[in-house]
Amino acid sequence: MADTLKMKERLLSLTPELCVERARYITRSYKETEGEPATTRRDRAFADILTNITVNIWPGELIVGATTGKEVGGGLYPECSGRVLQELEGVGTRETNPFSAREEELREITEEIMPYWQGRTVEERARSRWSEELNRRVNAIGGGMIFTEVVGMGHILLNHARVVKEGLNGVIKESEEKLARTPREDEETRTFLAAAAASCRAAIAFAERYADEAERQATDEENEGRKAELTEVARICRKVPAQPAETFWEGLQSIYFTHTCAQIEDYDMSISFGGIDRYLYPLYAADLEAGRLSREEARTLLECFFLKLNSNASCLDTAGDMAFGGIKTSTNLIVGGMDASGEDITNDLSLLAVEARERVYMTEPNFGVRISAKTDPDFLRRVSSSVVESKGFLQFFNDDVIVPSLEACGIPHEEAAEYSVIGCVELGIPGKGLTSANASLLDLSLCLELALNRGRKMAGSFLSQFEAGEELGPRTADPLEMESIEELIAAFREQVEALAAKMAAGLDALAESQAEYRPLPFISSFTADCLAEGKDVTWGGARYNSVAIQGVGMATVGDSLTAIDRMVFREKKVSMGEMLQAMQNDFAEDEPLRQTLLNRCPKFGNDDDDADLFSARVMEIFCDAVGRHPCWRGGRYLPGALSTNGHVAFGLGEPAFPSGRRMGEPISPGLGPEQGMNKQGPTAALKSVARIDQERLANGVSLNLEFTPEFFREGEGADDFADLLRTYFELGGMHFHCNLVGKETLVEAMEKPQLHQDLLVRPAGYSTRFVNLNPLAQSEIIARTEYAR
């Protein structure tokens, strides 16, 4: 079978190429279907792309298919936003994450594609619904809100289990039967059902094109082993995803085709696989029992599958690259965990997937492990050894917290127990929801800034796009007249409530624009309840609908409240006026005060009751503010605590804070402490984070700690890590992952990137090559506390 290590080496040697094909064919199709229903236009454009996009099978591949015609390529989604298109002239020479592009393709984009979509993108249609204020603030430095979905949705768990079991022919049958029962006067439903069936046929035809290409290559192939592989690839592509998968190889190819088609229809970011050891295990076990496949051959197929996920690279604009940096698509899959009866389902495929990940680990997939009180201790030790030996870059999720969290959102236990992870750390039920799991990020530090200045922007960072004194929030109480920290917390709450309400209104308008102009009939066709309801996922047809708002900067705010409470109200070492003046001047004339704030005031992450209480209250306020809003598609807004690199972007627009943080520096990431402030060891940090009520953060949380590579390698390192993880999860932690790299290596990688091309890190809830991160994001990782023996 394939030499996957050589295939990995080849992938790492390639510079991603920009591919114009998706943009070309969707543009041509839309020009031809002006005036027709949006669902029809989407279905026809989807078919046109799949019919015309270049089909390639690269050397050694056993899993085939791609969103582009390039070996490593990034597609374009011009119907979503013009942001990337407007920056394409410099895409090949930019400092981070360049994409090579052919002059003729850039000319086509400039002369043919961009002019058509001007005024027609989903972002522009949403902006026509937004207020002038909201238009200024969304994705602007210092505005307090990032809306990720303006460039595309993605972030969904597909119903791979159904496609593997029934094939798309089963989906087509259900759609046509529903269509036959639908009254002719119900044109909208009939149009949707017809489009759902047609899009499945287009996906089947796409697989047939790969079967043709495999047969063509087999005819010309002289190596008998490779000829046999290509012949088998052709057979499989003629069978799946049209029909049920009956072998492990067929199952992997089926879900890869479904995944690729969903990326082409929707967006290439964070479309995820769920628990592959749940729905593919019966095929794997049957193959082994029948002698059709050895365990080593199955692992090679998994390695090929994982490598193939790295052939697609999402091309972001400059701002997006800063906030969500790294060449990746954040495709998530997960193994392990419990079933609805509470029993551990871990099996040999769970272990095999970990082994395959260790062999060829790259940016994709983002690999997670579900842990519960019932997890087999041997499996826990095995995955822990993967972490301490820096092989698998795994992250961990706590069933015993997550399942009750989802149940509190109204999801029945049987389905909550089947949860999986989307993109980074976002939570969802596979195949049954459209959760918009990373739709937006809310800057909690801005809310504190406004609370300290009666709703107005302070002098702020010189990079802020808003003037000092601009009103960005309600006119709350004058901080100079406050007599207790509770008055400041009340003002902070009012600012958070106001910002969350503005964001919900803006996101509702964006969701409405998506539904009106960009439905998704293919994804809808096999998402639970869409066919039964006759409604596209963007219309609210899925069983579960929610939109996420992530709270960013918790510890920055919590530490600042702690410092104000101690220095201003309790010990009266400094007046509120003096504190505010120091903030506005970036401590330029108050370095002794800053040192006092840094070193004498308690900080979150050190198991200090005062500091931890304030951070817990920050998240309580945030959860209250977000959870009260219903969303446009049905369901509610869900709070989460993950920042990707949004904490770096937000920090650029913020002033200094009483935590001791300087103007323009990153704010705190996810549920983690402020950079460098957790000084009492990892156990103290985990105890602090466990004081946050994480069950309320039903969209997911991210916690990342940094260790030297040697930290767990003395003595029983795997057991030590397993004990640390188990203890944190028993305390109520939802998620945990870590970097074991070492600052010296990271600093050298910044200075000599050519020596560290394969160095992976976890900046947030995802992994990426360190050299592909923006220098600001690289520096932020280096600034975090590193635990050493």
Side-chain angles (χ1 to χ4, degrees):
M1 275 190 156
D3 186 336
T4 51
L5 296 182
K6 282 189 176 180
M7 292 171 68
K8 174 184 175 179
E9 184 178 351
R10 177 181 173 87
L11 282 171
L12 288 172
S13 72
L14 298 173
T15 298
E17 296 180 76
L18 199 66
C19 182
V20 74
E21 290 188 291
R22 183 191 180 279
R24 173 191 298 151
Y25 299 125
I26 194 173
T27 303
R28 291 179 183 176
S29 181
Y30 264 63
K31 287 179 179 179
E32 295 171 358
T33 57
E34 291 281 0
E36 296 190 33
T39 305
T40 301
R41 301 184 79 187
R42 292 296 294 176
D43 159 44
R44 291 184 183 175
F46 181 63
D48 285 345
I49 296 167
L50 295 184
T51 299
N52 292 290
I53 198 168
T54 300
V55 163
N56 287 313
I57 297 176
W58 304 102
E61 286 190 331
L62 300 179
I63 304 296
V64 301
T67 61
T68 74
K70 315 294 186 180
E71 190 165 3
V72 177
L76 297 170
Y77 297 79
E79 77 276 25
C80 297
S81 171
R83 291 167 180 266
V84 176
L85 302 182
Q86 292 162 5
E87 296 184 1
L88 287 184
E89 282 192 13
V91 73
T93 57
R94 63 189 186 185
E95 183 177 5
T96 58
N97 303 328
F99 280 69
S100 65
R102 297 177 182 175
E103 285 298 324
E104 62 270 22
E105 292 189 343
L106 293 177
R107 193 179 312 113
E108 180 182 355
I109 292 168
T110 302
E111 296 177 0
E112 298 180 30
I113 294 170
M114 286 179 63
Y116 176 78
W117 291 105
Q118 187 171 358
R120 291 182 169 96
T121 67
V122 172
E123 179 178 4
E124 289 168 298
R125 297 179 193 277
R127 286 187 178 277
S128 71
R129 291 178 156 104
W130 292 346
S131 66
E132 181 180 350
E133 179 202 359
L134 200 58
N135 268 290
R136 284 193 65 218
R137 291 181 65 170
V138 170
N139 294 359
I141 294 176
M145 55 180 79
I146 295 175
F147 284 9
T148 66
E149 286 192 353
V150 295
V151 295
M153 293 181 69
H155 293 89
I156 190 170
L157 283 161
L158 299 177
N159 199 345
H160 287 300
R162 179 180 181 183
V163 178
V164 166
K165 185 176 181 180
E166 299 180 27
L168 291 180
N169 284 338
V171 177
I172 293 170
K173 180 181 178 183
E174 180 186 354
S175 179
E176 291 180 336
E177 289 175 349
K178 173 70 174 179
L179 180 62
R181 298 192 301 269
T182 302
R184 292 197 174 274
E185 58 270 21
D186 189 354
E187 292 184 9
E188 184 176 71
T189 300
R190 292 182 63 84
T191 299
F192 161 69
L193 294 169
S199 66
C200 288
R201 292 192 184 93
I204 292 170
F206 183 56
E208 292 276 0
R209 293 184 64 209
Y210 275 92
D212 293 342
E213 175 63 14
E215 288 176 351
R216 185 193 68 76
Q217 290 192 21
T219 300
D220 298 336
E221 180 60 56
E222 296 181 357
N223 182 284
E224 290 301 319
R226 182 57 179 162
K227 181 187 288 285
E229 289 175 350
L230 289 165
T231 300
E232 180 66 0
V233 167
R235 181 196 70 78
I236 291 172
C237 292
R238 296 225 183 272
K239 180 175 182 180
V240 298
Q243 302 174 47
E246 295 178 289
T247 69
F248 186 58
W249 194 344
E250 291 173 2
L252 286 173
Q253 184 62 71
S254 179
I255 66 175
Y256 188 76
F257 270 138
T258 306
H259 172 78
T260 299
C261 289
Q263 288 181 308
I264 289 172
E265 182 190 44
D266 180 11
Y267 184 53
D268 56 14
M269 187 66 75
S270 298
I271 295 179
S272 299
F273 288 100
I276 62 169
D277 57 342
R278 294 175 183 245
Y279 58 82
L280 291 182
Y281 178 72
L283 301 178
Y284 167 75
D287 275 0
L288 262 60
E289 184 176 358
R292 290 188 293 263
L293 198 66
S294 69
R295 193 175 186 278
E296 183 177 354
E297 290 170 331
R299 190 189 68 193
T300 299
L301 287 171
L302 273 172
E303 291 169 13
C304 288
F305 177 73
F306 292 169
L307 288 172
K308 190 62 182 170
L309 295 176
N310 291 274
S311 67
N312 188 45
S314 190
C315 185
L316 303 174
D317 65 306
T318 303
D321 186 58
M322 179 182 295
F324 309 100
I327 295 178
K328 63 185 185 345
T329 55
S330 292
T331 297
N332 204 307
L333 64 80
I334 199 164
V335 298
M338 64 181 183
D339 61 16
S341 68
E343 294 303 313
D344 181 38
I345 64 92
T346 305
N347 54 51
D348 189 49
L349 183 54
S350 314
L351 181 58
L352 193 71
V354 173
E355 294 173 8
R357 168 69 172 174
E358 291 174 341
R359 282 260 303 169
V360 296
Y361 79 92
M362 292 180 68
T363 299
E364 308 297 334
N366 194 7
F367 199 110
V369 181
R370 285 179 50 171
I371 301 295
S372 78
K374 296 288 187 68
T375 296
D376 182 346
D378 289 339
F379 180 72
L380 178 58
R381 190 182 189 284
R382 176 63 184 81
V383 293
S384 296
S385 70
S386 183
V387 173
V388 302
E389 294 172 15
S390 299
K391 289 182 177 180
F393 261 67
L394 309 180
Q395 56 180 342
F396 299 90
F397 298 84
N398 186 0
D399 287 7
D400 299 318
V401 171
I402 292 172
V403 173
S405 177
L406 295 172
E407 289 179 294
C409 297
I411 298 174
H413 175 76
E414 293 73 16
E415 294 184 346
E418 294 296 319
Y419 84 87
S420 196
V421 181
I422 305 166
C424 294
V425 297
E426 303 96 298
L427 306 174
I429 310 302
K432 295 178 181 176
L434 183 61
T435 55
S436 288
N438 194 22
S440 62
L441 294 88
L442 181 153
D443 183 0
L444 291 164
S445 72
L446 173 68
C447 297
L448 179 60
E449 176 190 359
L450 298 180
L452 288 168
N453 202 32
R454 306 201 69 187
R456 296 170 299 180
K457 191 76 181 161
M458 285 187 172
S461 168
F462 62 92
L463 289 174
S464 175
Q465 296 172 11
F466 298 88
E467 298 291 334
E470 277 201 61
E471 290 194 10
L472 297 182
R475 197 167 182 79
T476 43
D478 187 344
L480 297 178
E481 298 177 0
M482 292 178 180
E483 297 182 356
S484 72
I485 195 65
E486 292 302 323
E487 294 180 64
L488 177 56
I489 290 174
F492 172 72
R493 180 186 292 274
E494 192 172 343
Q495 297 295 341
V496 175
E497 294 275 1
L499 185 56
K502 290 181 191 300
M503 292 182 69
L507 290 165
D508 278 351
L510 180 57
E512 187 175 2
S513 298
Q514 290 275 9
E516 187 173 350
Y517 300 109
R518 197 173 180 267
L520 304 171
F522 176 67
I523 290 173
S524 301
S525 71
F526 52 95
T527 298
D529 297 353
C530 285
L531 294 183
E533 296 291 328
K535 295 170 65 176
D536 190 270
V537 288
T538 63
W539 306 346
R543 185 171 301 173
Y544 302 114
N545 292 279
S546 59
V547 179
I549 298 179
Q550 323 293 359
V552 183
M554 173 199 73
T556 295
V557 177
D559 288 352
S560 295
L561 291 174
T562 304
I564 293 172
D565 183 46
R566 171 166 293 197
M567 298 291 289
V568 176
F569 294 119
R570 290 166 54 187
E571 298 183 1
K572 302 187 186 302
K573 295 286 182 65
V574 62
S575 71
M576 181 66 84
E578 290 169 330
M579 182 72 80
L580 297 179
Q581 188 63 46
M583 289 175 61
Q584 291 177 331
N585 292 337
D586 192 28
F587 297 106
E589 300 176 2
D590 297 281
E591 183 59 24
L593 172 59
R594 192 175 84 89
Q595 291 301 318
T596 299
L597 295 172
L598 282 172
N599 300 308
R600 294 192 57 196
C601 294
K603 296 290 188 288
F604 179 78
N606 297 288
D607 192 23
D608 180 278
D609 290 343
D610 286 345
D612 296 348
L613 173 63
F614 280 114
S615 286
R617 291 192 68 182
V618 168
M619 293 315 289
E620 175 190 323
I621 289 167
F622 167 69
C623 290
D624 288 344
V626 170
R628 71 176 76 259
H629 295 284
C631 60
W632 185 84
R633 286 191 299 268
R636 305 199 72 79
Y637 280 87
L638 294 183
L642 52 139
S643 57
T644 53
N645 288 325
H647 59 289
V648 178
F650 279 145
L652 293 174
E654 294 304 323
F657 280 109
S659 64
R661 171 197 163 276
R662 299 292 300 272
M663 177 178 70
E665 293 180 346
I667 58 177
S668 59
L671 278 188
E674 272 206 301
Q675 294 79 1
M677 293 297 102
N678 44 315
K679 301 178 179 180
Q680 298 301 314
T683 302
L686 294 176
K687 289 175 71 176
S688 288
V689 180
R691 290 193 173 98
I692 310 299
D693 186 358
Q694 296 181 39
E695 279 194 18
R696 295 197 64 189
L697 294 158
N699 188 67
V701 308
S702 174
L703 175 63
N704 195 349
L705 297 183
E706 320 295 315
F707 298 85
T708 63
E710 296 75 26
F711 188 91
F712 289 108
R713 291 181 182 171
E714 296 181 9
E716 300 297 325
D719 288 335
D720 291 345
F721 181 86
D723 289 344
L724 188 72
L725 177 67
R726 179 76 82 185
T727 300
Y728 173 56
F729 278 7
E730 288 174 353
L731 289 172
M734 180 182 281
H735 164 268
F736 181 66
H737 61 184
C738 60
N739 284 314
L740 287 88
V741 180
K743 288 191 178 184
E744 291 183 3
T745 301
L746 295 175
V747 170
E748 183 180 81
M750 280 193 76
E751 297 172 350
K752 302 175 181 178
Q754 70 277 8
L755 301 180
H756 298 276
Q757 290 295 304
D758 197 21
L759 176 61
L760 286 187
V761 294
R762 282 193 168 275
Y766 66 94
S767 59
T768 191
R769 290 159 67 188
F770 184 75
V771 297
N772 287 339
L773 288 171
N774 180 285
L776 291 174
Q778 292 177 329
S779 297
E780 188 273 335
I781 295 175
I782 293 171
R784 298 175 187 175
T785 295
E786 178 184 71
Y787 295 118
R789 287 284 187 180

